[in-house]
Amino acid sequence: MRIDRYKIDIELAKSGMSGYKEFAEKIGLPARTLSVILSRGSCKNVNAGKIAKGLGVPVEKIAKEERENK
């Protein structure tokens, strides 16, 4: 699943967490795994679900919008 790091950063800022390490611990992912996901901009659906749930938003809120090239 393609995810939008900018949208995740916004939701993370709203949550008041101090950073990615704290967030990774909260959602049960190793900090390195979260870092790779954010850098790559994609992850397995289950991890997207964990990220969204940890932020308290639906998965659609962090998904990258697919645009058709015309």
Side-chain angles (χ1 to χ4, degrees):
M1 171 175 277
R2 303 285 302 156
I3 57 169
D4 190 325
R5 183 180 186 154
Y6 179 71
K7 290 178 182 178
I8 292 170
D9 285 345
I10 290 171
E11 295 303 324
L12 192 60
K14 287 180 186 178
S15 75
M17 272 183 258
S18 63
Y20 295 127
K21 184 176 180 182
E22 178 185 355
F23 181 60
E25 289 173 6
K26 176 183 176 184
I27 63 174
L29 287 177
R32 179 72 182 135
T33 300
L34 180 61
S35 176
V36 169
I37 289 170
L38 295 174
S39 295
R40 195 173 52 206
S42 66
C43 62
K44 294 179 182 178
N45 292 345
V46 67
N47 288 335
K50 287 180 182 182
I51 293 168
K53 185 176 180 180
L55 293 170
V57 299
V59 173
E60 296 86 357
K61 184 89 173 181
I62 63 165
K64 190 165 230 171
E65 295 179 25
E66 299 295 326
R67 293 185 171 88
E68 291 183 30
N69 292 330
K70 294 186 179 185

